[in-house]
Amino acid sequence: MMIRGLGAPTRVLELVRQALFVNLHWTQIVLKNMVWATLAEAVVRGLKFLLLPILARVFGPAEFGKFAFAYSFAAMFDVVFDSGLALTTTRELAVAKVNEHLLPDILLMKLALGGLGVAGLALGMMLITPDPTTRWMILVLGVAFFVLEMVNLSFSVFRAWQRMEYEFLVRVAQALFLVLGVGWIAWRAPSVLNVTYAYLISGILTLGLILVVMRGGPWRISLHVRRNVWARVLRVALPLALASGATTVYMNVDSVMLGYFGKIIDTGWYNVAIRITGVLLVPTGLLSLVIFPAFASTSANVDVTFRRRWDTWSAGMVAVGAYIACTVVATADPVIGVVFGPAFHPAGTALKILAITVALIFVYTPSFQAMIVFDRQRTLFWCLLSAAVVNVVLNILLIPPFGLYGSAWATVATHVVILGELFVLAGRCTPLRPVNRALVWAMISAGTAAAAAWWGMLAVGHAAWLAVPVGGIVFAGVWVGLRKSVAFGMVASW
């Protein structure tokens, strides 16, 4: 679009419109999606993170632990509610827009799976706890998670269309509904059961917004089962669902087992640490969110450009993960004390242990995504299933004697297993080489920069507001210096 004849303010507005609302070429689309995804994560995570200290301080470790136990158990049924359909939808629509005719059938599958998942959850809650209040909390949260999975399906459409601005609006609306609801409950009717109602109501309001916005379009439910379509979609979705199920197990089973063993207070402490870890992992989800459709759409031609982009992404992930991990180790205790209060002090040590997990996830995320991009979901499932088995066994062994710290180390060991498996499998099952000289040098550079940043933050002291930016400056300086060194030129070339 020509903009030379426009006035200066109008030209600026037109440039902004083209940069943020128009899909032009690969690089611009990735950057545009990155901007909207970053804004969404910053706003949504910021709003939702407010809930964590509110819930922790209002209810204390015991009641918060009860809520976390119910939340984690209900979350394990997300695998049934989603069944791999969200990622399958993104992939199918990213490959070809004509595949939009699959959406009505996918929505019908969602409803059927939702009924199956709620039935399984109702049976499971009878076995996991005898407490009627906890059972009701589990049921309400389960229904809420199903509703939110319906919302997430709309995000798959937006991502496939490369229209992250739409997802931004919906996600912010849902976060506002939730924060306002929980805030009102904490002020006027403090009860962990009432908090579960806030989750359900916010999900329903958001789904209603989606239905209004997408009415008359592809967002409609099929009235008939087309067997050929179901077979086509489920062939891709079910392996993803199995892989997601294994992931869901090792992400939630620690909290469930802590509660099952009667360590409810430990559950409260551990969930403060694990939820902070979830916030720290936002960049990996964010980068994968915007990169996955772009790589999926060009995966048929794995040329030098594709490999160079992949290596650049992998190196960047290593750097971000290393900096975040060293920041957590240096600042965990004072941050926990200030934000959550002295009652949650044990969460600081658990958070330091889980910082190792953060670094590992950043390192293996590109290999994880490679398995999906190149249609190796079944292999990915077996990888994650074996890790889930390791996690369950280690939790059984470590929780009784060590409580939340046993769970934290079990989580670290689980991700070490995943890292090793993914490096081997991605190298054998995809055209990429996840372990190469570029990655090795990135890890050496990141490790050196992280060590320097950690010492810098320790020198500053307990003032986290100053230590974090100082550490960031030190890390960036060392990282850039090493990356531009002669040694990098020698070892990173193909």
Side-chain angles (χ1 to χ4, degrees):
M1 180 180 293
M2 299 297 293
I3 60 176
R4 291 181 180 177
L6 302 177
T10 306
R11 286 200 302 270
V12 171
L13 290 175
E14 180 61 21
L15 287 172
V16 171
R17 187 191 73 84
Q18 291 188 27
L20 297 180
F21 296 95
V22 179
N23 292 338
L24 299 176
H25 51 79
W26 194 92
T27 302
Q28 180 268 339
I29 290 172
V30 170
L31 292 176
K32 175 184 78 75
N33 288 343
M34 178 68 76
V35 169
W36 285 114
T38 301
L39 288 174
E41 288 295 331
V43 174
V44 172
R45 293 284 183 169
L47 288 171
K48 290 187 176 181
F49 189 74
L50 292 175
L51 298 179
L52 190 57
I54 290 173
L55 292 174
R57 285 185 173 271
V58 169
F59 298 111
E63 285 298 298
F64 179 70
K66 184 184 293 186
F67 171 79
F69 170 65
Y71 186 99
S72 296
F73 184 77
M76 294 182 73
F77 287 82
D78 263 356
V79 62
V80 182
F81 299 144
D82 175 48
S83 294
L85 292 177
L87 193 54
T88 299
T89 303
T90 300
R91 174 177 151 169
E92 292 298 315
L93 296 189
V95 171
K97 196 173 188 299
V98 295
N99 287 334
E100 285 183 7
H101 74 278
L102 302 174
L103 283 173
D105 299 89
I106 292 174
L107 283 168
L108 182 59
M109 294 180 207
K110 275 282 196 181
L111 290 179
L113 291 166
L116 180 64
V118 171
L121 182 142
L123 176 61
M125 73 184 186
M126 302 298 292
L127 302 174
I128 198 69
T129 177
D131 181 54
T133 302
T134 304
R135 287 178 176 177
W136 187 247
M137 290 168 58
I138 290 172
L139 184 61
V140 173
L141 286 169
V143 176
F145 293 156
F146 166 65
V147 172
L148 290 174
E149 280 297 336
M150 295 295 290
V151 174
N152 288 342
L153 188 61
S154 71
F155 297 162
S156 301
V157 178
F158 298 150
R159 293 166 191 172
W161 290 347
Q162 308 277 13
R163 308 302 306 211
M164 299 292 293
E165 59 269 33
Y166 299 157
E167 180 175 338
F168 166 80
L169 294 174
V170 175
R171 290 189 62 194
V172 170
Q174 191 271 329
L176 285 172
F177 293 149
L178 179 60
V179 171
L180 291 174
V182 172
W184 185 89
I185 287 169
W187 177 43
R188 298 298 299 271
S191 161
V192 288
L193 178 59
N194 289 340
V195 170
T196 65
Y197 293 136
Y199 275 82
L200 177 58
I201 293 171
S202 69
I204 292 173
L205 291 175
T206 309
L207 183 59
L209 178 63
I210 289 288
L211 295 176
V212 170
V213 171
M214 301 186 72
R215 68 185 186 278
W219 194 255
R220 60 184 185 277
I221 298 173
S222 174
L223 300 178
H224 306 284
V225 176
R226 294 191 294 175
R227 294 183 179 180
N228 60 323
V229 173
W230 281 51
R232 171 184 171 180
V233 172
L234 292 177
R235 180 186 64 82
V236 178
L238 287 182
L240 288 173
L242 293 173
S244 176
T247 304
T248 300
V249 168
Y250 71 70
M251 287 181 63
N252 294 283
V253 73
D254 41 13
S255 295
V256 172
M257 294 181 70
L258 280 167
Y260 180 77
F261 283 121
K263 297 181 179 294
I264 293 298
I265 294 178
D266 280 48
T267 307
W269 290 330
Y270 183 75
N271 271 266
V272 164
I274 202 70
R275 293 191 183 210
I276 293 175
T277 302
V279 174
L280 298 174
L281 289 172
V282 165
T284 183
L286 180 63
L287 291 169
S288 299
L289 193 71
V290 297
I291 288 291
F292 177 78
F295 278 122
S297 62
T298 58
S299 60
N301 183 26
V302 183
D303 54 10
V304 174
T305 300
F306 188 101
R307 294 178 186 275
R308 185 176 64 251
R309 288 170 175 170
W310 195 278
D311 286 344
T312 301
W313 175 39
S314 299
M317 295 288 278
V318 170
V320 175
Y323 172 66
I324 291 175
C326 76
T327 301
V328 170
V329 173
T331 63
D333 288 330
V335 169
I336 290 292
V338 170
V339 177
F340 300 96
F344 285 88
H345 176 72
T349 302
L351 183 57
K352 291 179 183 180
I353 298 171
L354 291 171
I356 303 172
T357 297
V358 172
L360 293 171
I361 291 175
F362 272 91
V363 173
Y364 73 61
T365 289
S367 296
F368 184 98
Q369 295 295 326
M371 298 295 286
I372 299 173
V373 167
F374 294 101
D375 198 20
R376 300 296 180 181
Q377 297 91 331
R378 291 179 176 83
T379 305
L380 181 62
F381 160 68
W382 291 110
C383 167
L384 297 178
L385 179 62
S386 63
V389 172
V390 169
N391 187 260
V392 171
V393 172
L394 289 177
N395 272 296
I396 292 173
L397 295 175
L398 298 178
I399 284 177
F402 303 112
L404 75 159
Y405 304 129
S407 279
W409 282 115
T411 300
V412 171
T414 299
H415 287 281
V416 170
V417 171
I418 295 173
L419 174 70
E421 290 182 331
L422 283 176
F423 276 178
V424 172
L425 293 173
R428 292 180 177 178
C429 302
T430 75
L432 301 173
R433 293 167 53 200
V435 181
N436 53 36
R437 287 176 290 183
L439 179 68
V440 171
W441 183 248
M443 294 178 69
I444 294 172
S445 302
T448 305
W454 181 67
W455 281 106
M457 285 185 277
L458 287 184
V460 172
H462 292 294
W465 63 271
L466 180 59
V468 172
V470 167
I473 292 171
V474 173
F475 184 95
V478 175
W479 167 263
V480 172
L482 289 173
R483 298 289 289 178
K484 289 186 176 181
S485 67
V486 176
F488 172 74
M490 294 172 59
V491 301
S493 62
W494 283 80

